[in-house]
Amino acid sequence: MTAAASPASAKAAYEAEICDRDPGVFADATAANSINLFAMQWTPFGPSEMGWETYVPLIQHELGTDCDPTSAAFAEKLSTFQLLHNLPATGQFDMATFNVFKGVWQERRPFILARLRGECPDPPPISELAYLVAGEEHGERLTRKARRDVLEAYREMVAAARAEIPEAAYNPELLRIFSSFREPESDAARCARDGNCDGVRRAACSAHRTGTALDIYVGHLIGHGVDSTNSHNRRFMAQTATYRWMVKNAGRFGFVPYAFEPWHWEWIGPPEGRTR
Protein backbone atom coordinates (compact mmCIF):
# COMPACT_ATOMS: atom_id res chain seq x y z
CA MET A 1 0.00 0.00 0.00
CA THR A 2 1.46 3.34 -1.03
CA ALA A 3 1.58 6.07 1.60
CA ALA A 4 -0.29 9.24 0.80
CA ALA A 5 1.84 12.19 -0.25
CA SER A 6 2.29 14.93 2.33
CA PRO A 7 0.85 18.40 1.61
CA ALA A 8 4.41 19.73 1.28
CA SER A 9 5.45 17.08 -1.26
CA ALA A 10 2.20 17.51 -3.19
CA LYS A 11 2.78 21.27 -3.34
CA ALA A 12 6.36 20.73 -4.52
CA ALA A 13 5.21 18.33 -7.24
CA TYR A 14 2.54 20.81 -8.37
CA GLU A 15 5.03 23.68 -8.52
CA ALA A 16 7.58 21.53 -10.36
CA GLU A 17 4.94 20.61 -12.94
CA ILE A 18 4.22 24.28 -13.55
CA CYS A 19 7.91 25.14 -13.87
CA ASP A 20 8.55 22.33 -16.33
CA ARG A 21 5.63 22.95 -18.66
CA ASP A 22 5.94 23.27 -22.44
CA PRO A 23 7.52 26.61 -23.42
CA GLY A 24 4.77 27.52 -25.86
CA VAL A 25 4.90 31.21 -26.76
CA PHE A 26 7.98 31.60 -24.53
CA ALA A 27 10.12 29.16 -26.53
CA ASP A 28 12.36 31.92 -27.90
CA ALA A 29 12.72 33.52 -24.46
CA THR A 30 13.63 30.25 -22.74
CA ALA A 31 16.20 29.50 -25.44
CA ALA A 32 17.74 32.97 -25.10
CA ASN A 33 17.72 32.86 -21.28
CA SER A 34 19.36 29.42 -21.33
CA ILE A 35 22.27 30.88 -23.28
CA ASN A 36 22.69 34.32 -21.77
CA LEU A 37 22.36 33.03 -18.20
CA PHE A 38 25.95 31.89 -18.61
CA ALA A 39 27.23 33.73 -21.69
CA MET A 40 25.84 37.27 -21.49
CA GLN A 41 28.72 39.75 -21.34
CA TRP A 42 27.61 42.91 -19.59
CA THR A 43 28.48 45.55 -16.97
CA PRO A 44 25.63 45.66 -14.40
CA PHE A 45 27.67 47.58 -11.81
CA GLY A 46 30.66 48.78 -13.84
CA PRO A 47 33.08 45.84 -13.96
CA SER A 48 32.50 43.37 -16.79
CA GLU A 49 30.66 40.15 -15.91
CA MET A 50 29.77 36.96 -17.77
CA GLY A 51 26.25 35.68 -17.20
CA TRP A 52 23.66 36.69 -14.61
CA GLU A 53 23.56 33.69 -12.26
CA THR A 54 24.68 35.89 -9.36
CA TYR A 55 21.43 37.83 -9.45
CA VAL A 56 19.03 34.91 -10.00
CA PRO A 57 17.97 34.50 -6.32
CA LEU A 58 17.08 38.21 -6.07
CA ILE A 59 15.25 38.16 -9.40
CA GLN A 60 13.31 34.99 -8.52
CA HIS A 61 12.28 36.53 -5.21
CA GLU A 62 11.16 39.73 -6.92
CA LEU A 63 9.12 37.75 -9.44
CA GLY A 64 7.66 35.46 -6.77
CA THR A 65 8.91 32.25 -8.36
CA ASP A 66 11.34 29.45 -7.59
CA CYS A 67 11.30 28.25 -11.19
CA ASP A 68 14.61 27.85 -12.97
CA PRO A 69 15.63 30.94 -14.99
CA THR A 70 15.71 28.79 -18.12
CA SER A 71 12.08 27.67 -17.72
CA ALA A 72 8.97 28.92 -19.48
CA ALA A 73 7.36 29.72 -16.13
CA PHE A 74 10.24 32.06 -15.28
CA ALA A 75 10.01 33.71 -18.72
CA GLU A 76 6.29 34.27 -18.22
CA LYS A 77 6.83 35.86 -14.80
CA LEU A 78 9.58 38.02 -16.28
CA SER A 79 7.34 39.13 -19.14
CA THR A 80 4.70 40.24 -16.63
CA PHE A 81 7.32 42.24 -14.73
CA GLN A 82 8.47 43.82 -17.99
CA LEU A 83 4.92 44.74 -18.94
CA LEU A 84 4.29 46.37 -15.56
CA HIS A 85 7.41 48.50 -16.02
CA ASN A 86 6.70 49.58 -19.60
CA LEU A 87 9.31 47.31 -21.18
CA PRO A 88 8.81 44.98 -24.15
CA ALA A 89 7.21 41.89 -22.56
CA THR A 90 9.52 39.37 -24.21
CA GLY A 91 10.25 37.22 -21.15
CA GLN A 92 13.91 37.48 -22.10
CA PHE A 93 16.42 38.80 -19.59
CA ASP A 94 18.38 41.83 -20.78
CA MET A 95 20.21 44.87 -19.45
CA ALA A 96 17.15 47.13 -19.62
CA THR A 97 15.16 44.70 -17.51
CA PHE A 98 17.96 44.34 -15.00
CA ASN A 99 18.23 48.12 -14.66
CA VAL A 100 14.60 48.17 -13.52
CA PHE A 101 15.27 45.43 -10.97
CA LYS A 102 18.34 47.33 -9.81
CA GLY A 103 16.34 50.52 -9.38
CA VAL A 104 13.65 48.73 -7.38
CA TRP A 105 16.25 47.18 -5.05
CA GLN A 106 18.17 50.43 -4.60
CA GLU A 107 15.02 52.40 -3.81
CA ARG A 108 14.46 50.16 -0.79
CA ARG A 109 17.69 51.41 0.76
CA PRO A 110 17.15 54.73 2.59
CA PHE A 111 20.89 55.33 2.46
CA ILE A 112 20.82 55.32 -1.35
CA LEU A 113 17.87 57.71 -1.44
CA ALA A 114 19.81 60.07 0.83
CA ARG A 115 22.83 59.88 -1.47
CA LEU A 116 20.62 60.68 -4.46
CA ARG A 117 19.56 63.83 -2.60
CA GLY A 118 23.23 64.72 -2.20
CA GLU A 119 23.28 63.86 1.50
CA CYS A 120 25.86 61.85 3.42
CA PRO A 121 24.15 60.70 6.64
CA ASP A 122 25.80 61.49 9.95
CA PRO A 123 26.93 58.60 12.14
CA PRO A 124 24.67 57.77 15.11
CA PRO A 125 25.48 59.03 18.63
CA ILE A 126 27.81 56.66 20.44
CA SER A 127 25.03 55.97 22.95
CA GLU A 128 23.01 54.23 20.20
CA LEU A 129 25.82 51.77 19.42
CA ALA A 130 26.46 48.40 21.02
CA TYR A 131 29.27 45.87 20.74
CA LEU A 132 28.96 42.55 19.01
CA VAL A 133 29.68 39.60 21.27
CA ALA A 134 31.87 36.55 20.77
CA GLY A 135 30.34 34.23 18.20
CA GLU A 136 28.87 37.12 16.19
CA GLU A 137 32.14 38.40 14.73
CA HIS A 138 33.88 36.78 11.79
CA GLY A 139 37.66 36.95 11.47
CA GLU A 140 40.41 38.21 13.69
CA ARG A 141 39.31 41.84 14.01
CA LEU A 142 37.10 42.23 17.07
CA THR A 143 35.31 45.01 18.99
CA ARG A 144 32.90 45.71 16.16
CA LYS A 145 29.81 47.81 16.84
CA ALA A 146 26.39 48.43 15.32
CA ARG A 147 23.24 50.24 16.33
CA ARG A 148 21.49 48.46 19.20
CA ASP A 149 18.22 48.01 17.32
CA VAL A 150 20.09 46.62 14.33
CA LEU A 151 21.88 44.07 16.48
CA GLU A 152 18.61 42.97 18.05
CA ALA A 153 17.10 42.39 14.60
CA TYR A 154 20.26 40.61 13.43
CA ARG A 155 20.17 38.24 16.41
CA GLU A 156 16.54 37.37 15.75
CA MET A 157 17.35 36.71 12.10
CA VAL A 158 20.35 34.49 12.87
CA ALA A 159 18.35 32.46 15.39
CA ALA A 160 15.68 31.86 12.74
CA ALA A 161 18.25 31.00 10.08
CA ARG A 162 20.03 28.46 12.27
CA ALA A 163 16.68 26.84 13.01
CA GLU A 164 15.65 26.74 9.34
CA ILE A 165 18.86 26.06 7.37
CA PRO A 166 20.88 22.91 8.12
CA GLU A 167 23.93 24.52 6.50
CA ALA A 168 23.85 27.41 8.99
CA ALA A 169 23.01 25.16 11.93
CA TYR A 170 26.06 22.98 11.34
CA ASN A 171 28.52 25.76 10.46
CA PRO A 172 28.66 28.45 13.17
CA GLU A 173 30.97 30.55 11.01
CA LEU A 174 28.11 31.33 8.65
CA LEU A 175 26.10 34.50 9.33
CA ARG A 176 28.83 36.05 11.46
CA ILE A 177 29.55 39.74 10.85
CA PHE A 178 32.87 40.86 9.37
CA SER A 179 32.08 44.56 9.07
CA SER A 180 29.47 46.76 10.73
CA PHE A 181 29.73 50.34 11.99
CA ARG A 182 32.75 52.15 10.56
CA GLU A 183 33.74 55.61 11.66
CA PRO A 184 33.78 58.04 8.71
CA GLU A 185 37.33 59.10 9.52
CA SER A 186 38.57 55.51 9.35
CA ASP A 187 36.80 54.95 6.05
CA ALA A 188 38.30 58.13 4.61
CA ALA A 189 41.78 57.04 5.68
CA ARG A 190 41.29 53.62 4.11
CA CYS A 191 40.07 55.22 0.87
CA ALA A 192 43.17 57.38 0.73
CA ARG A 193 45.42 54.42 1.48
CA ASP A 194 43.91 51.91 -0.95
CA GLY A 195 42.63 54.27 -3.65
CA ASN A 196 39.60 52.06 -4.35
CA CYS A 197 36.66 54.26 -3.45
CA ASP A 198 35.00 53.93 -6.84
CA GLY A 199 31.42 53.77 -5.57
CA VAL A 200 31.12 50.04 -6.27
CA ARG A 201 33.86 48.25 -4.34
CA ARG A 202 34.01 50.96 -1.68
CA ALA A 203 32.15 54.23 -1.28
CA ALA A 204 33.66 57.48 -0.09
CA CYS A 205 30.42 57.94 1.88
CA SER A 206 29.69 54.42 3.09
CA ALA A 207 26.44 53.00 4.45
CA HIS A 208 28.55 51.54 7.26
CA ARG A 209 28.80 55.00 8.84
CA THR A 210 25.09 54.71 9.77
CA GLY A 211 25.50 51.65 12.00
CA THR A 212 22.69 49.95 10.06
CA ALA A 213 24.85 48.16 7.45
CA LEU A 214 26.22 44.70 8.17
CA ASP A 215 28.59 42.57 6.11
CA ILE A 216 27.49 39.02 6.87
CA TYR A 217 29.46 35.91 6.01
CA VAL A 218 27.50 33.67 3.61
CA GLY A 219 30.46 31.62 2.39
CA HIS A 220 33.23 32.29 -0.12
CA LEU A 221 35.18 30.64 -2.90
CA ILE A 222 38.51 29.15 -1.87
CA GLY A 223 41.30 31.50 -2.85
CA HIS A 224 39.16 34.63 -2.47
CA GLY A 225 38.34 36.85 0.49
CA VAL A 226 34.99 36.98 2.23
CA ASP A 227 34.37 40.36 0.60
CA SER A 228 36.08 39.78 -2.73
CA THR A 229 34.08 41.34 -5.57
CA ASN A 230 35.52 38.84 -8.04
CA SER A 231 32.59 37.72 -10.20
CA HIS A 232 33.26 34.01 -9.60
CA ASN A 233 33.33 34.57 -5.83
CA ARG A 234 30.06 36.49 -5.84
CA ARG A 235 28.41 33.87 -8.05
CA PHE A 236 29.48 31.16 -5.60
CA MET A 237 28.03 33.11 -2.66
CA ALA A 238 24.72 33.61 -4.45
CA GLN A 239 24.33 29.85 -4.82
CA THR A 240 24.72 29.02 -1.13
CA ALA A 241 21.71 27.93 0.89
CA THR A 242 22.48 30.66 3.44
CA TYR A 243 22.36 33.48 0.90
CA ARG A 244 19.22 32.11 -0.73
CA TRP A 245 17.54 31.96 2.68
CA MET A 246 18.60 35.56 3.35
CA VAL A 247 17.08 36.72 0.06
CA LYS A 248 13.74 35.13 0.95
CA ASN A 249 13.66 35.86 4.67
CA ALA A 250 15.85 38.81 5.69
CA GLY A 251 12.95 41.16 5.02
CA ARG A 252 11.05 39.50 7.87
CA PHE A 253 13.59 41.16 10.16
CA GLY A 254 13.92 44.49 8.36
CA PHE A 255 17.03 43.82 6.26
CA VAL A 256 17.43 44.59 2.53
CA PRO A 257 20.31 43.57 0.24
CA TYR A 258 22.84 45.36 -1.89
CA ALA A 259 22.66 43.31 -5.09
CA PHE A 260 26.33 43.65 -6.06
CA GLU A 261 27.61 42.32 -2.72
CA PRO A 262 25.87 39.14 -1.46
CA TRP A 263 27.32 39.78 1.99
CA HIS A 264 26.04 43.36 2.42
CA TRP A 265 22.69 43.93 4.16
CA GLU A 266 21.12 47.11 5.51
CA TRP A 267 18.49 47.42 8.22
CA ILE A 268 15.64 49.75 7.29
CA GLY A 269 13.50 49.34 10.41
CA PRO A 270 10.93 46.82 11.64
CA PRO A 271 8.72 45.37 8.87
CA GLU A 272 5.23 46.82 8.66
CA GLY A 273 3.08 45.58 11.49
CA ARG A 274 6.02 44.78 13.77
CA THR A 275 7.46 46.91 16.54
CA ARG A 276 10.65 46.53 18.49
Side-chain angles (χ1 to χ4, degrees):
M1 182 175 179
T2 303
S6 69
S9 63
K11 180 176 183 289
Y14 175 69
E15 290 177 344
E17 183 180 359
I18 293 177
C19 290
D20 295 337
R21 69 175 186 268
D22 184 87
V25 297
F26 293 104
D28 289 344
T30 58
N33 290 341
S34 296
I35 295 171
N36 66 28
L37 175 65
F38 307 103
M40 178 176 171
Q41 189 166 353
W42 62 319
T43 54
F45 285 90
S48 179
E49 298 187 32
M50 186 71 74
W52 45 283
E53 286 179 282
T54 300
Y55 308 101
V56 166
L58 288 172
I59 294 170
Q60 288 174 320
H61 184 61
E62 198 66 42
L63 297 179
T65 181
D66 287 324
C67 291
D68 189 275
T70 64
S71 69
F74 179 91
E76 183 176 14
K77 289 277 191 177
L78 189 61
S79 71
T80 300
F81 177 87
Q82 291 167 328
L83 184 64
L84 290 172
H85 291 87
N86 300 312
L87 295 171
T90 62
Q92 180 176 334
F93 182 86
D94 55 25
M95 186 71 182
T97 303
F98 181 78
N99 283 337
V100 175
F101 281 120
K102 182 178 174 181
V104 169
W105 299 329
Q106 294 288 66
E107 286 174 1
R108 292 176 184 153
R109 301 170 60 198
F111 176 80
I112 293 298
L113 297 181
R115 296 299 293 134
L116 290 174
R117 295 192 298 268
E119 303 169 5
C120 186
D122 292 328
I126 193 68
S127 60
E128 293 183 8
L129 298 173
Y131 287 100
L132 280 67
V133 300
E136 294 177 338
E137 297 186 297
H138 183 278
E140 297 178 356
R141 290 174 294 143
L142 302 177
T143 65
R144 297 189 184 94
K145 293 178 285 188
R147 265 180 33 184
R148 295 177 189 278
D149 46 3
V150 176
L151 275 180
E152 290 176 8
Y154 161 78
R155 287 163 180 159
E156 290 180 12
M157 180 173 68
V158 170
R162 298 211 187 282
E164 297 173 22
I165 323 170
E167 176 184 86
Y170 297 139
N171 184 356
E173 188 178 11
L174 288 168
L175 297 170
R176 290 184 179 180
I177 295 170
F178 60 86
S179 187
S180 50
F181 172 71
R182 297 201 299 253
E183 295 179 351
E185 295 79 7
S186 298
D187 252 4
R190 189 172 180 182
C191 278
R193 183 192 71 204
D194 298 342
N196 66 350
C197 290
D198 56 9
V200 175
R201 294 170 298 173
R202 186 172 303 283
C205 176
S206 169
H208 285 278
R209 67 166 49 218
T210 66
T212 62
L214 303 178
D215 288 345
I216 299 173
Y217 181 63
V218 295
H220 72 293
L221 195 60
I222 294 175
H224 296 276
V226 297
D227 60 352
S228 167
T229 57
N230 175 276
S231 60
H232 300 294
N233 189 49
R234 294 187 299 107
R235 185 183 303 116
F236 175 87
M237 292 178 179
Q239 294 171 348
T240 65
T242 300
Y243 178 73
R244 289 176 176 270
W245 184 93
M246 290 277 290
V247 168
K248 290 184 177 182
N249 295 280
R252 288 162 45 191
F253 307 92
F255 288 93
V256 296
Y258 171 35
F260 183 69
E261 298 178 348
W263 57 85
H264 182 102
W265 297 81
E266 294 172 22
W267 194 70
I268 61 173
E272 187 174 351
R274 287 188 61 186
T275 57
R276 297 206 63 79

